[in-house]
Amino acid sequence: MTAVTLAEAADVLLAAYDTRVPVEPLVGSAKYQGLTLADAYEIQLLQIRRRVADGARIKGHKVGLSSPAMQRQMGVDQPDYGHLLDGMFWLENAPVPASRFLQPRVEPEIAFVLKRPLAGPGVTVAEAAAAVDFVLPALELIDSRIRDWRIGIVDTIADNASSGGVVLGSTPARLADVDLRLAGCTLHRNGELVGTGASGAVLGSPLTSLVWLANTVGARGVVLEAGHVVLPGSITASVPVAAGDTVTAAYAGLGSVTARFTEEAS
């Protein structure tokens, strides 16, 4: 795929943010025949570089499609990753304007906050654990610029791993105080239970997901920075949300986090 074609694909996805109109999948289009995973990550990076040039700041990364539930839901068979920018973070219980998103869904996750950089490849579980400052309950707001979520692994990678936003809870815990393999989670939307799971659904442990991310981005020359947030992947399948919805995820040993969706920010 030529550099010009990749730049054109990035422009198509960037335009969807502004118009709030989803686009057709890149895969299957005659214009983008032969797109590879490497091409998809380059399309993602072209968008991130553009947004950083416009003033955005990278505040972390997210791993997507790391649980069997999400892989089945999205029809893929491997994880991916995307970037978290400063404009993607919303305060717990503060209004989250649903109109800022195209096709929003919510996922419960246990977020890592790093106290030291992680530079792969070759990062071990021990090194990853030592780099974690604390963990937080979190809700990831996933979104897709691809119409009707008709995504495969290439389309979602190109679309910044379907990133939309994140709501972090306010109950930080030490890594040693949470069993990342067995911590249970319940997800409620408007008081109705819509998902249950255990954190071990994320590659056996969210910590394994952090190792995967550090080594995967490290192979591309990227370092996970101190102070950054890492979302390791969803514990349950995602659920759609709209204005008027309130979603709460509760985690054993970690507390809860709530997101409240409105038409506009107040």
Side-chain angles (χ1 to χ4, degrees):
M1 197 66 60
T2 68
V4 170
T5 302
L6 296 179
E8 289 175 351
D11 288 341
V12 166
L13 291 168
L14 282 170
Y17 286 93
D18 298 327
T19 64
R20 298 291 188 269
V21 177
V23 301
E24 295 301 314
L26 302 180
V27 173
S29 166
K31 188 171 187 178
Y32 304 113
Q33 283 186 352
L35 274 178
T36 65
L37 292 183
D39 291 333
Y41 277 118
E42 182 59 26
I43 293 169
Q44 179 185 137
L45 281 173
L46 286 169
Q47 295 172 77
I48 297 302
R49 290 173 189 145
R50 180 87 59 84
R51 296 178 73 176
V52 168
D54 290 340
R57 292 178 295 163
I58 297 173
K59 288 292 186 176
H61 287 79
K62 56 83 57 93
V63 179
L65 307 171
S66 56
S67 70
M70 284 306 301
Q71 290 182 2
R72 286 193 301 269
Q73 187 177 28
M74 296 302 174
V76 301
D77 60 0
Q78 59 183 295
D80 65 356
Y81 72 85
H83 294 72
L84 300 175
L85 303 178
D86 54 340
M88 295 180 179
F89 287 79
W90 301 90
L91 291 174
E92 182 181 19
N93 284 306
V96 179
S99 58
R100 298 280 186 93
F101 306 93
L102 282 74
Q103 307 169 99
R105 296 180 177 182
V106 170
E107 300 176 343
E109 308 202 16
I110 295 177
F112 296 108
V113 180
L114 302 181
K115 63 184 174 184
R116 64 184 66 161
L118 271 178
V123 169
T124 66
V125 169
E127 291 168 332
V132 174
D133 194 1
F134 54 89
V135 294
L136 289 168
L139 287 167
E140 185 185 1
L141 317 180
I142 61 170
D143 198 10
S144 182
R145 273 52 64 178
I146 306 298
R147 191 180 308 280
D148 300 324
W149 283 94
R150 290 185 287 121
I151 59 172
I153 191 68
V154 170
D155 277 303
T156 189
I157 289 171
D159 188 27
N160 194 27
S162 302
S163 297
V166 57
V167 177
L168 297 176
S170 54
T171 53
R174 295 181 305 167
L175 198 58
D177 293 336
V178 181
D179 189 337
L180 291 181
R181 300 164 303 153
L182 301 176
C185 172
T186 58
L187 184 67
H188 287 81
R189 180 182 57 198
N190 303 326
E192 178 186 357
L193 181 66
V194 291
T196 62
S199 53
V202 181
L203 296 180
S205 167
L207 194 58
T208 304
S209 182
L210 176 59
V211 172
W212 177 88
L213 176 66
N215 288 328
T216 301
V217 301
R220 295 181 168 91
V222 176
V223 175
L224 302 182
E225 301 289 351
H228 278 191
V229 173
V230 173
L231 298 178
S234 182
I235 295 171
T236 72
S238 64
V239 297
V241 290
D245 288 338
T246 297
V247 179
T248 297
Y251 307 81
L254 191 56
S256 64
V257 56
T258 296
R260 182 164 60 89
F261 295 88
T262 61
E263 286 290 351
E264 295 293 341
S266 59

